[in-house]
Amino acid sequence: MKVLVTGGAGFIGSNIVDRLIDEGYDVVVADDLSTGKEENVNAKAVFYKMDIQDPQLEAVFRSEKPDYVCHQAAQKDVRFSVADPVSDARINILGTINILQNCIKYKVKKVVFASTGGAIYGEQDVFPAPETHPARPISPYGVTKLTAEHYMYYYRAVYGLDYVSLRYSNVYGPRQDPHGEAGVVAIFIHKMLDEQEPVINGDGEQTRDFVYVGDVAEANILAITNDAAENIFNIGTGVEVSINRIFNSLKEIIQPSVEEKHGPPQPGEQRRSVIDCTRAREILHWEPKISLMDGLKMTCEYFSARRPAHSR
Ligand SMILES: NC(=O)c1ccc[n+]([C@@H]2O[C@H](COP(=O)([O-])OP(=O)(O)OC[C@H]3O[C@@H](n4cnc5c(N)ncnc54)[C@H](O)[C@@H]3O)[C@@H](O)[C@H]2O)c1
């Protein structure tokens, strides 16, 4: 069986690629390397440096004939989506339509899509939010992910293209980009390894649902193989964790002497976000296996081993 992974040079996509290859799948990666790195791409995967909006993507489908598409490529920066909603929509909506059109033409069996539990629900009415929670995105990024889900619904209804949308919570782990705006775990780890003080935005009591990337890769494998009629699954832990707790856990692992430093709160930042994963547990038979402390330790070890020798 062959899987085309878009965004397979990125943080989550490359972890999925490794897992697929371990499971014996043939893997093809299409990634424009805008945020991903070629060195992340497993040597056993066939790599195409390609923008998902490019009409040439059809040539990849024509020659590779994937059985499944795991669509991870996206513009994922919420602040960029606010600053440039047109570019954001081009990549996340038009790029997705380009993929779906090719899936129909080349008879792909199923698409697994990287959606978001954090940005789709907006300010939550209930904690944790189930998949049935109203979708009220408050960023262009969240709107594009919800729109992609609507397109997949349409392609299934009209053309019979099967799909699963996985609404991830806050994913962390090896290969996460520590230089972006998102990814508080990677940002804090880098600061602490450099013996600097990370700045906690506001009082640090804002919460998120942190899920380890290996568990997310596992959910993607199960989404490919599971033939349940359900299409949308939250993929998180259901546990609300404050930014202060992340800081204190990393402090314990890396640098017990680091001072806790707070900056101004980020305007418009969501206060609480946590998703209910009962549906994934019952239907996909998925559940997060890595505890927060174990996941943080593995992530610290990964970044620590890759630091230049002089700064270790
Ligand atoms: N990281 C999280 O916590 C999180 C949470 C919810 C959803 N997601 C979604 O998961 C997916 C993967 O995110 P990530 O955190 O690994 O980000 P990432 O930036 O590391 O990965 C995205 C990959 O897509 C590639 N890409 C971007 N635009 C492209 C284009 N036009 N054509 C081809 N490739 C392109 C990038 O080069 C990169 O390799 C995204 O769809 C993101 O929206 C991530």
Side-chain angles (χ1 to χ4, degrees):
M1 286 289 168
K2 191 182 275 189
V3 186
L4 168 62
V5 182
T6 70
F11 161 46
I12 300 172
S14 66
N15 278 285
I16 296 171
V17 169
D18 289 351
R19 189 60 211 281
L20 285 166
I21 286 170
D22 286 347
E23 298 280 328
Y25 288 91
D26 293 325
V27 179
V28 177
V29 169
D31 195 304
D32 69 352
L33 301 180
S34 50
T35 56
K37 298 192 189 100
E38 197 165 350
E39 72 211 45
N40 285 344
V41 181
N42 191 301
K44 292 187 181 147
V46 175
F47 176 60
Y48 292 87
K49 184 173 183 302
M50 170 85 53
D51 188 326
I52 54 168
Q53 303 165 82
D54 192 332
Q56 288 300 316
L57 188 70
E58 182 175 353
V60 176
F61 277 82
R62 194 186 313 118
S63 62
E64 297 290 347
K65 299 186 180 56
D67 298 287
Y68 300 98
V69 170
C70 185
H71 179 26
Q72 305 294 313
Q75 187 307 105
K76 61 144 201 298
D77 185 334
V78 173
R79 285 184 212 171
F80 176 89
S81 81
V82 173
D84 189 351
V86 173
S87 301
D88 177 63
R90 279 199 190 106
I91 300 167
N92 291 358
I93 300 178
L94 299 185
T96 298
I97 297 173
N98 192 26
I99 289 166
L100 296 173
Q101 283 289 105
N102 281 299
C103 288
I104 299 303
K105 189 161 180 186
Y106 293 94
K107 299 190 171 36
V108 166
K109 294 184 176 70
K110 190 194 270 183
V111 179
V112 178
F113 175 65
S115 188
T116 166
I120 267 193
Y121 300 120
E123 291 298 348
Q124 295 176 208
D125 298 333
V126 289
F127 302 87
E131 291 84 352
T132 49
H133 188 285
R136 295 181 299 231
I138 45 171
S139 64
Y141 167 76
V143 173
T144 65
K145 290 289 180 180
L146 186 58
T147 304
E149 288 188 355
H150 290 320
Y151 271 101
M152 288 188 294
Y153 182 89
Y154 154 73
Y155 278 94
R156 188 180 68 146
V158 174
Y159 297 101
L161 175 62
D162 200 2
Y163 76 95
V164 171
S165 182
L166 300 178
R167 293 178 173 174
Y168 308 154
S169 61
N170 278 61
V171 188
Y172 72 97
R175 300 190 188 136
Q176 185 166 24
D177 180 6
H179 305 294
E181 294 289 348
V184 66
V185 169
I187 294 170
F188 282 10
I189 291 176
H190 264 254
K191 287 275 182 200
M192 287 193 197
L193 288 174
D194 286 343
E195 295 179 19
Q196 293 172 12
E197 284 162 4
V199 177
I200 301 170
N201 294 334
D203 67 2
E205 285 306 307
Q206 60 274 40
T207 61
R208 296 292 180 266
D209 177 340
F210 291 93
V211 63
Y212 187 68
V213 68
D215 284 326
V216 172
E218 167 85 8
N220 277 269
I221 305 283
L222 292 171
I224 288 172
T225 50
N226 190 291
D227 53 9
E230 206 60 71
N231 301 105
I232 295 180
F233 296 93
N234 283 342
I235 298 297
T237 64
V239 179
E240 248 180 302
V241 173
S242 71
I243 304 304
N244 286 335
R245 182 164 159 213
I246 294 290
F247 173 85
N248 284 307
S249 305
L250 291 173
K251 174 179 158 130
E252 193 182 317
I253 299 167
I254 307 173
Q255 216 207 100
S257 63
V258 71
E259 296 279 330
E260 186 172 323
K261 192 169 149 189
H262 291 261
Q266 282 295 326
E269 191 183 18
Q270 218 167 312
R271 186 70 181 165
R272 293 173 70 192
S273 177
V274 60
I275 55 176
D276 181 346
C277 303
T278 309
R279 188 187 279 180
R281 192 169 280 123
E282 289 176 353
I283 299 177
L284 287 182
H285 307 296
W286 173 87
E287 60 185 340
K289 295 193 181 115
I290 305 298
S291 71
L292 181 65
M293 209 53 186
D294 285 349
L296 291 177
K297 280 182 189 152
M298 288 192 280
T299 311
C300 290
E301 277 161 24
Y302 171 85
F303 283 119
S304 174
R306 276 155 190 80
R307 297 178 76 233
H310 62 83
S311 52
R312 264 183 234 159

